[in-house]
């Protein structure tokens, strides 16, 4: 086995105490024996248990880490969830990082090698996307740890093709979730850390990894508000991925800096800002044609900060389970955009499926004026055209349809406001509407984290043909 070297990576807050684990805001105390197939909190919770990322929490020591690894190995012959390719990939990376720091032994290495052989046979070409990249990351770590040319060939093939496929020209990850983008960036930083600090395979992948990290880092910083938070667009939640600040610090330690001249383009996101407001809008496609599993029906949605605090927020994601909460959170109504005939602009269904998708045409794209149209409502005889215009003090949004529609604004739970005639009035903002039929305030649910929802207030504005919304 190769004694691998790493620069300091990101450590995690405590998620384990004895045999008690906290993932996705749900805690399970296993008592004397950990059930590695536990599905009581859903498959995603079980995946997190099997990732073994807790090996890198700040308080973890070598003895405790080995005890938990031993527990897993004892149940390996009946472990189902943990041998699925996705959690298997993450676990291999985390075990290798742990063994490189604390030392392994022949038993651990034998079990690890067999898992990598299994992964090599079960790569997720049927799912693609971030799953296949995770397979490649794990095989790269396995190649370096075991100095294995076969693993390296497999890893190189996946990473070279999939990084070109999945990282767009503006640096965004093609599944268009800021959360998954941050996770993929973290993995790439770990891979770059591995490659530049270890003299194997001629450091062949160094330039490829460096190029992608540079682009992804700049994209993430553009997509992050001045308060350090990214928008919760598509499948996204906080406390799943490292924060932008944590990724910036890790990248800086590896010699990276943010390119401030990068422009948002291919990912379909745009950012407009002045002294008071920061707005991030989505005028892109719902996701890659063959893998839109993390997409929402959110075309033309936006998030808005005023004086660096969240004002208009995305509903977020609290679950991947197939239930009414999941259906609502992926719906058009759950986003800051227009609904026609109570329909979704793209046909999201099940937990991670999308049928017919809204197609977008960008009409104007400048730092001051953004105009686009989509055909998601053509069944009802109309397109939806939305304009975002920013001036030094205000932001104006204009919606145009050939029908009656409802525009939704979802407010941060921390915001107090009241409706007076044609205005929403808050502590340091006003929102003025023109050409509307009705305005009403409704209670909705904001989901900033998995398994966490907070009652918030939203406003539904009914209009016909045209609506002007002025933020000032």
């Amino acid at each position: 086995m190769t004694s691998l070297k790493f620069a300091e990576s990101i450590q995690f807050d405590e998620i384990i105490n004895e045999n008690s684990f906290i993932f996705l805001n749900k805690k399970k105390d296993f008592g004397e024996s950990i059930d590695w197939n536990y599905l009581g909190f859903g498959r995603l919770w079980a995946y997190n248990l099997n990732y073994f990322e807790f090996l890198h929490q700040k308080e973890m020591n070598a003895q405790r880490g080995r005890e938990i690894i031993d527990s897993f190995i004892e149940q390996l012959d009946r472990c189902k969830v943990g041998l699925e390719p996705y959690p298997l990939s993450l676990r291999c990376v985390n075990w290798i990082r742990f063994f490189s720091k604390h030392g392994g032994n022949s038993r651990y290495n034998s079990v690890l090698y067999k898992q990598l052989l299994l992964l090599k046979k079960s790569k997720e070409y049927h799912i693609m996307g971030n799953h296949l990249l995770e397979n490649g990351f794990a095989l790269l770590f396995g190649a370096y740890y075991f100095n294995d040319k076969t693993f390296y060939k497999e890893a190189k093939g996946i990473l070279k093709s999939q990084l070109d496929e999945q990282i767009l020209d503006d640096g965004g990850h093609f599944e268009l979730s800021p959360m998954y983008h941050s996770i993929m960036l973290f993995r790439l930083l770990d891979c770059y850390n591995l490659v530049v600090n270890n003299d194997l395979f001629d450091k062949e992948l160094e330039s490829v990894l460096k190029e992608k990290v540079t682009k992804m880092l700049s994209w993430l910083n553009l997509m992050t508000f001045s308060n350090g938070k990214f928008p919760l667009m598509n499948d996204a939640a906080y406390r799943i991925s490292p924060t932008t600040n944590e990724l910036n610090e890790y990248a800086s330690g590896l010699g990276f800096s943010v390119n401030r001249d990068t422009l948002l383009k291919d990912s379909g996101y745009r950012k407009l800002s002045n002294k008071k407001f920061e707005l991030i809008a989505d005028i892109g496609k719902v996701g890659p044609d063959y893998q839109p599993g993390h997409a929402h029906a959110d075309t033309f949605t936006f998030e808005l900060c005023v004086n660096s605090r969240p004002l208009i927020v995305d509903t977020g994601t609290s679950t991947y389970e197939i239930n009414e909460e999941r259906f609502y959170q992926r719906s058009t109504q759950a986003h800051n955009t227009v609904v026609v005939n109570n329909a979704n602009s793209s046909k999201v269904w099940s937990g991670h499926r999308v049928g017919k998708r809204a197609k977008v045409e960008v009409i104007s794209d400048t730092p001051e004026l953004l105009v686009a149209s989509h055909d998601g409502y053509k069944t009802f005889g109309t397109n939806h055209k939305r304009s975002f215009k920013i001036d030094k003090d205000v932001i104006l949004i204009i919606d145009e349809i050939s029908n009656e529609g409802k525009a939704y604004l979802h407010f941060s739970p921390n915001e107090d406001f009241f409706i007076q005639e044609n205005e929403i009035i808050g502590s340091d903002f006003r929102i003025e509407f023109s050409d509307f039929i009705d305005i009403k305030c409704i209670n909705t649910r904001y989901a900033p984290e998995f398994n966490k929802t907070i009652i918030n207030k939203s406003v539904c504005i009914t209009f016909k043909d045209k609506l002007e919304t002025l933020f000032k």
Side-chain angles (χ1 to χ4, degrees), residues 28 61 87 148 156 192 232 246 257 277 281 304 312 433 446 451 453-454:
K28 174 64 178 175
N61 59 57
D148 188 295
K156 184 177 75 169
Y192 182 81
L232 297 179
E246 287 173 329
S257 59
F277 295 112
L304 178 69
I312 306 298
F433 302 98
Y446 173 57
N451 297 306
T453 57
I454 305 168

Side-chain angles (χ1 to χ4, degrees), residues 302 304 306 309-315 334-336 407-419 423-427 429-431 433 439-442 444-447 454-461 469 471:
F302 67 96
L304 178 69
V306 57
R309 77 172 190 282
L311 177 63
I312 306 298
V313 296
D314 193 285
T315 292
H335 298 86
N336 301 300
Y408 286 87
L409 295 175
H410 300 276
F411 286 80
S412 165
N414 299 320
E415 286 300 320
D416 290 321
F417 60 87
F418 63 92
I419 299 174
E423 286 188 315
I424 297 174
I425 301 172
S427 59
F429 67 90
R430 287 174 180 259
I431 308 173
F433 302 98
I439 303 176
K440 64 179 179 180
C441 188
I442 55 178
T444 48
R445 301 178 300 280
Y446 173 57
I454 305 168
I455 297 297
N456 68 323
K457 291 189 180 298
S458 299
V459 174
C460 174
I461 308 99
T469 304
F471 293 84

Side-chain angles (χ1 to χ4, degrees), residues 218-250:
S218 296
W219 185 93
L220 181 61
N221 278 271
L222 283 171
M223 283 289 290
T224 299
F225 292 107
S226 58
N227 60 21
K229 299 278 191 178
F230 53 66
L232 297 179
M233 291 176 173
N234 291 311
D235 277 344
Y238 300 129
R239 298 182 63 201
I240 298 295
S241 64
T243 66
T244 301
N245 287 340
E246 287 173 329
L247 289 166
N248 282 341
E249 185 176 347
Y250 185 19

